[in-house]
Amino acid sequence: MKTIRVKVNPARLNLPLATIWAGRLSSAILTVCGDVPDDIEALSVRIGRTPDPDTGAAREDFAATASRDESGAFRFYLSPFLFPDAAAGLSYSIIGTDESGNPRWLGTGTLNVSECPAAGDGTAPDIIPADTYIHNPVTGLYHLLTAVADEDGKITLNLADEGVAR
């Protein structure tokens, strides 16, 4: 996968970082390079969001983190859930964390999120569906798997004796 390259220069914070273009609900790889201070151990990218559509209130930024790789650059995987809304003129900021755990702002740039023709869904998937069936390869039937909590909160799994055909 190709990478979006952003070059930082903490001595010139008045200059914007490169503009990033992403697709709504599309993933991206971001590599931060340039004059990253030597004492920076990790970076985070703070991704601005659109205002809340119901109230108009500002929403908290999304964030992704990365550590320095063997080449000295920082590489981020930006998941589709970081780009839920198509909007122009959003911003992103690169924040470093030094050896003492102190944050350091390394720059801000413009983020444009375009509508994506893939028509993805921004709803986060459940970890496990409510109705989970386990396939029995001997009988070819599917058995319902459920979790049950006792009075102490201990979880046990139950597998239905009767299977169902698909």
Side-chain angles (χ1 to χ4, degrees), residues 145-151 153-159:
L145 177 68
T146 56
V148 179
D150 65 14
E151 61 276 351
K154 183 178 177 185
I155 303 289
T156 56
L157 297 178
N158 285 340
L159 188 61

Side-chain angles (χ1 to χ4, degrees), residues 56-75:
R59 296 190 281 183
E60 190 171 327
D61 292 346
F62 287 126
T65 59
S67 299
R68 193 184 298 266
D69 67 17
E70 57 280 343
S71 72
F74 291 83
R75 183 181 162 141

Side-chain angles (χ1 to χ4, degrees), residues 9 20 33 55-56 72 74 83 93 96 104 109 126 129 164-165:
N9 183 351
I20 293 177
C33 55
T55 65
F74 291 83
F83 308 115
S93 295
R104 189 177 310 164
D126 293 331
V164 294

Side-chain angles (χ1 to χ4, degrees), residues 12-97:
R12 299 299 309 265
L13 292 174
N14 58 321
L15 297 177
L17 298 176
T19 299
I20 293 177
W21 288 85
R24 186 177 82 79
L25 298 173
S26 294
S27 63
I29 302 295
L30 171 67
T31 301
V32 176
C33 55
D35 197 14
V36 177
D38 293 335
D39 65 338
I40 296 295
E41 293 185 336
L43 289 182
S44 67
V45 58
R46 307 280 305 183
I47 297 173
R49 299 180 63 194
T50 58
D52 184 293
D54 297 327
T55 65
R59 296 190 281 183
E60 190 171 327
D61 292 346
F62 287 126
T65 59
S67 299
R68 193 184 298 266
D69 67 17
E70 57 280 343
S71 72
F74 291 83
R75 183 181 162 141
F76 295 86
Y77 170 71
L78 304 179
S79 76
F81 298 111
L82 297 177
F83 308 115
D85 302 312
L90 299 173
S91 67
Y92 73 96
S93 295
I94 305 295
I95 309 292
T97 303

